[in-house]
Amino acid sequence: MINDIVSAVNNVLWGDGQVLIVMLLGCGIWFTWKLGAVQLRHFTHMFVLLKGSTSSTKEGISSFGALCTSLSARVGTGNLAGVAMAISLGGSGAIFWMWVIAFLGMATGFAESVLGQLYKVKDENGEFRGGPAYYIKQGLNKTWLAVAFSLCLFFGYGFVFSAVQANTITDALNNAYGFSPFYSGLVIIALAALIVVGGLRGIARFAEWIVPFMAISYVIAALIIMCINITELPGVFLDIIKSAFGLQEAGAGMLGAAIKNGIQRGLYSNEAGSGSVPHAAAGAAPKPNHPVSQGYIQMLGVFIDTMILCSATAFIILLAGGEASGNMEGIGMTQAAMNTHVGGGGTAFVSAAICLFSFTSVVANYAYGESNLHMFKLDNKLGRMAYTIGYLGMILWGAMAALPTVWAMADMALGLMSVINIIAIVWMTPTIVAISKDYFAKLKSGKEITYKAGDAIIQGETEKGVWRD
């Protein structure tokens, strides 16, 4: 019965109903227009803000730490296994639509992260907390909608998404070395437990070290493969474009599959619009001292995740002759492609990469779920203990579950979160635009970029949150 429910919901969100595909594309286009194509106009400014962004305060993590924390959740299964799934089900054209949703998603990610930073609060330990549940409750005064989002987030980030990451890790290790998924799952649980007890700060410190190392190493490997096969790259690009629009021979039937799988797997990878990233954005002590600065930082995260890391996997697979098979293929397809390029060591390299990529997602997912405990008055020792036990238990379940089962549940959870969050941020467009224009004007004039109450005239805003006190 559970499988039937999951299938029915996903059919509405992703299948015949295509509700979420329309909402994601519409939301991305909406904020690209309302913010004046900020992802193009201020593209270099994203990188400028990284300068001096490594310092934190007693209340918040650094902007660099917030970026790495969000990347540690983004960069995982979707970048290696998810890209393989998109190609196996939608062909090379799915990559084009993954790029499209990432470009539009940069504007969406900007918008939701601005709200996450604007409506953050301090918890009992004096640390910043925030996210969609916070800005829905404070900015829209819709407590019921905030609770609904928190329930979806608990289901997704608290339990299902970590199961997906564990499933991919154990699958990769089983393919490469024949390790038992059960024992691999126990090791993941033990390592995750050691890190998550440190809370958001501990996760941020871990992410600041691991994420840059693993991302740079993977991109270098992909660039080497692309240089070796440089004469084939034009053909691969052309194949992506033709397949994206059904222009290949017998390709018209793949058009819908390319769009659906490219957008679906793109969202799972970069998470723009799902409402996850604002949690990391809210935890930052931004520099400059303005909520919009975190919009730029997290917009950069979307670019790194999809345009760089997902593209790296796509070219590794396509240069090895990977194509649509009609059957869902995961990390095994990426491992096989790497083997084609570098021999037997390819499986080991991809196994190491997916272990690092996915494990960082496992620990970051915990932080996102924990940040919403207070919505149910569970932000105490007993509540955290119960949440932690459930979270670790789902890791073990995911390690041994069937691939289609865990991905179907993940798609449903991410889809439900995204529907609620997209409704909320579009509803709060006047707030996002007003505060962004305040930043844009100060940036253009060369004035000091800071924010305080009264700097932006925001229609209907509730005077709550750290920035408004």
Side-chain angles (χ1 to χ4, degrees):
M1 186 178 72
I2 293 177
N3 288 337
D4 290 340
I5 293 173
V6 171
S7 178
V9 173
N10 281 337
N11 188 53
V12 173
L13 295 175
W14 299 107
D16 295 337
Q18 297 186 345
V19 170
L20 198 51
I21 291 177
V22 173
M23 291 184 71
L24 283 168
L25 290 172
C27 184
I29 293 170
W30 172 254
F31 283 112
T32 296
W33 172 51
K34 298 297 289 186
L35 297 171
V38 64
Q39 66 269 56
L40 287 179
R41 286 195 303 128
H42 295 170
F43 180 79
T44 57
H45 191 60
M46 299 187 298
F47 300 92
V48 171
L49 288 181
L50 285 181
K51 295 179 180 179
S53 65
T54 57
S55 59
S56 60
T57 68
K58 290 182 180 180
E59 296 88 2
I61 60 178
S62 67
S63 291
F64 181 70
L67 173 63
C68 289
T69 300
S70 67
L71 279 173
S72 66
R74 285 182 173 125
V75 177
T77 299
N79 298 86
L80 280 80
V83 173
M85 289 180 186
I87 293 173
S88 66
L89 295 174
S92 59
I95 304 306
F96 174 84
W97 294 106
M98 193 176 283
W99 291 337
V100 169
I101 199 62
F103 171 76
L104 296 175
M106 289 173 72
T108 304
F110 178 96
E112 63 182 354
S113 296
V114 167
L115 291 177
Q117 178 67 214
L118 179 63
Y119 288 103
K120 66 185 181 183
V121 299
K122 284 184 180 179
D123 64 13
E124 59 185 14
N125 298 318
E127 295 183 356
F128 293 139
R129 298 276 188 173
Y134 295 76
Y135 55 70
I136 290 171
K137 185 176 181 179
Q138 295 182 30
L140 294 176
N141 197 28
K142 303 294 182 184
T143 302
W144 66 271
L145 193 60
V147 171
F149 179 87
S150 290
L151 287 172
C152 293
L153 183 133
F154 266 130
F155 178 66
Y157 282 90
F159 304 110
V160 178
F161 297 157
S162 292
V164 173
Q165 306 294 342
N167 183 275
T168 301
I169 293 174
T170 56
D171 188 28
L173 292 176
N174 184 259
N175 289 338
Y177 309 110
F179 291 167
S180 165
F182 175 76
Y183 292 113
S184 295
L186 291 179
V187 172
I188 297 170
I189 287 174
L191 293 175
L194 290 174
I195 296 171
V196 299
V197 293
L200 182 59
R201 285 184 178 275
I203 292 169
R205 285 194 295 269
F206 173 75
E208 284 178 356
W209 283 97
I210 295 297
V211 170
F213 167 76
M214 70 182 187
I216 292 171
S217 299
Y218 189 68
V219 170
I220 288 174
L223 287 174
I224 291 173
I225 290 171
M226 291 168 68
C227 288
I228 293 173
N229 299 276
I230 194 166
T231 57
E232 297 179 35
L233 282 178
V236 170
F237 273 109
L238 186 60
D239 184 64
I240 289 173
I241 300 302
K242 285 184 175 181
S243 179
F245 296 97
L247 301 178
Q248 291 178 320
E249 186 177 347
M254 290 295 294
L255 178 59
I259 296 174
K260 173 182 178 293
N261 287 284
I263 292 177
Q264 192 170 2
R265 296 280 70 85
L267 172 64
Y268 184 80
S269 180
N270 64 54
E271 302 178 8
S274 70
S276 62
V277 172
H279 295 88
K287 291 186 178 181
N289 193 33
H290 195 293
V292 171
S293 64
Q294 280 306 296
Y296 287 104
I297 293 292
Q298 299 305 332
M299 188 165 66
L300 177 60
V302 177
F303 178 81
I304 293 172
D305 175 87
T306 305
M307 297 300 195
I308 296 179
L309 293 173
C310 283
S311 295
T313 300
F315 284 114
I316 288 173
I317 293 173
L318 295 175
L319 286 169
E323 58 184 13
S325 64
N327 297 317
M328 182 183 285
E329 299 183 51
I331 194 63
M333 186 179 190
T334 309
Q335 288 176 311
M338 188 63 81
N339 274 348
T340 300
H341 295 297
V342 302
T347 296
F349 176 80
V350 173
S351 296
I354 196 63
C355 285
L356 287 175
F357 278 43
S358 296
F359 183 72
T360 55
S361 292
V362 169
V363 296
N365 290 347
Y366 176 89
Y368 288 173
E370 186 197 31
S371 67
N372 282 259
L373 285 174
H374 88 287
M375 294 296 296
F376 307 102
K377 302 190 184 300
L378 294 174
D379 194 14
N380 51 54
K381 186 175 181 180
L382 185 61
R384 289 193 187 93
M385 183 180 298
Y387 167 63
T388 303
I389 291 172
Y391 155 83
L392 295 175
M394 282 297 290
I395 291 176
L396 187 60
W397 172 80
M400 299 180 292
L403 180 68
T405 300
V406 291
W407 277 93
M409 293 183 69
D411 286 338
M412 183 182 75
L414 192 67
L416 292 173
M417 283 175 53
S418 300
V419 167
I420 297 173
N421 185 58
I422 289 171
I423 291 172
I425 62 177
V426 170
W427 201 341
M428 299 179 73
T429 296
T431 299
I432 297 165
V433 171
I435 196 171
S436 296
K437 284 184 175 179
D438 175 72
Y439 187 99
F440 298 161
K442 290 173 180 175
L443 178 65
K444 185 177 182 179
S445 66
K447 293 180 180 179
E448 181 183 6
I449 300 177
T450 58
Y451 179 79
K452 62 182 184 297
D455 282 358
I457 300 174
I458 304 172
Q459 183 179 1
E461 180 183 337
T462 304
E463 301 286 327
K464 293 181 180 179
V466 172
W467 289 98
R468 308 300 290 163
D469 287 344

